[in-house]
Amino acid sequence: MKTPFLKGVGVIIIAVASIGVCVVGFQRSRQSQQEQQTIMSTEEVSVQDMQPRLEELKDVLEEFYVDGNEQFIVEGTTYEEVHQIATEIDEMNVGVELEEEKTTLSESFNSLATKIAIQEEANALYEQPKNDWQDVEERQPIRTGVEVSDITDIENRIENLPDGEWKDSVLEFVGHGREQILLIESLRETIEQYANGSSDVSYANYQSAVNDISYVRNEEMRAELLELANQASN
């Protein structure tokens, strides 16, 4: 049988243990609150730090364009560097107050990346790349093997972009390629029909086609058409 003294000691031990548990729990709760406050404070600072970066990237965007009017792109600007910036913007934690500004800037950089990609695709149609997209009179020989469908694919992509000088310039540039392809196909058809004795093609038609071969800019295709014309005349 336990003495009253031992019983009293037991009660005291239990009370002290309970107080200790409460103290530890309080300390942990306080520590958790402090950590949460630190995280929230860090996030607030991070969001605030994004404002100067967004302003900086707006200036960078202007530098990628001639005269900063978001039409013609500065020569040498690459898809990779623009796409990298667009990715950086998309990954920014800017908070609700800057979300609209971030979205607008992201769309602007993605639009710029799309324009560069289209320019590269358009240049791939020709033997020499076009560097000055403001020069609408520049003509380049179409590459051998390019088809009208290749031109149409690019035209369809451009049609989805806002109207402007850049859009008009690229459409005209690829339009020249379409004209060259149609000319080559027309001359080949006329010469072949004449060679096969078709009643639909007279000697005058044949001679006109031969004269128009000089307008073919692609040297390989021009030589091929001249050889075809010589065979037809024999």
Side-chain angles (χ1 to χ4, degrees):
M1 180 175 179
K2 294 182 179 179
T3 66
F5 172 76
L6 293 177
K7 290 182 179 180
V9 171
V11 171
I12 293 173
I13 292 174
I14 292 172
V16 170
S18 299
I19 293 172
V21 170
C22 291
V23 170
V24 171
F26 174 77
Q27 289 177 336
R28 288 180 178 176
S29 176
R30 185 176 181 182
Q31 181 180 1
S32 176
Q33 290 176 356
Q34 290 175 339
E35 290 175 351
Q36 185 65 27
Q37 289 174 351
T38 301
I39 292 173
M40 292 175 63
S41 177
T42 302
E43 289 178 349
E44 289 175 359
V45 172
S46 176
V47 169
Q48 292 173 0
D49 287 346
M50 291 299 100
Q51 178 67 63
R53 181 54 177 163
L54 288 175
E55 295 300 325
E56 179 183 350
L57 291 178
K58 289 179 184 178
D59 295 335
V60 172
L61 178 66
E62 290 186 2
E63 293 173 359
F64 280 135
Y65 284 102
V66 176
D67 299 329
N69 61 1
E70 296 196 19
Q71 285 298 313
F72 296 105
I73 304 166
V74 172
E75 183 180 346
T77 304
T78 65
Y79 175 87
E80 287 73 19
E81 61 181 325
V82 173
H83 180 68
Q84 182 177 357
I85 296 176
T87 301
E88 176 191 344
I89 296 172
D90 290 339
E91 294 176 350
M92 283 182 176
N93 176 25
V94 297
V96 177
E97 64 273 22
L98 296 178
E99 187 62 35
E100 183 177 351
E101 187 175 346
K102 167 190 169 180
T103 299
T104 300
L105 192 59
S106 175
E107 290 174 349
S108 296
F109 271 97
N110 282 316
S111 175
L112 173 57
T114 298
K115 287 182 176 180
I116 296 174
I118 289 175
Q119 286 184 178
E120 292 176 352
E121 291 174 17
N123 273 331
L125 303 175
Y126 297 86
E127 293 185 344
Q128 297 294 330
K130 181 181 180 71
N131 295 317
D132 185 3
W133 290 88
Q134 291 178 282
D135 182 7
V136 296
E137 298 301 322
E138 184 179 347
R139 302 288 191 276
Q140 298 291 352
I142 199 75
R143 285 184 182 275
T144 302
V146 174
E147 300 178 354
V148 171
S149 60
D150 299 322
I151 305 289
T152 302
D153 289 342
I154 295 178
E155 290 174 334
N156 290 338
R157 290 192 62 191
I158 298 173
E159 286 298 333
N160 295 325
L161 298 177
D163 294 335
E165 294 177 295
W166 177 86
K167 180 177 180 178
D168 294 339
S169 175
V170 179
L171 284 173
E172 186 164 355
F173 181 59
V174 297
H176 296 156
R178 178 189 295 275
E179 293 173 0
Q180 291 184 51
I181 295 171
L182 293 178
L183 173 62
I184 292 170
E185 291 178 349
S186 175
L187 295 179
R188 180 185 289 111
E189 182 180 6
T190 298
I191 295 171
E192 288 178 347
Q193 286 183 338
Y194 179 78
N196 294 329
S198 172
S199 59
D200 295 331
V201 179
S202 65
Y203 178 77
N205 298 140
Y206 160 78
Q207 193 59 50
S208 176
V210 172
N211 294 335
D212 288 344
I213 292 177
S214 61
Y215 295 111
V216 175
R217 294 178 173 273
N218 181 299
E219 293 184 4
E220 179 182 345
M221 300 306 301
R222 186 166 63 245
E224 178 184 319
L225 288 171
L226 286 172
E227 176 62 24
L228 190 63
N230 288 335
Q231 293 176 3
S233 64
N234 295 332

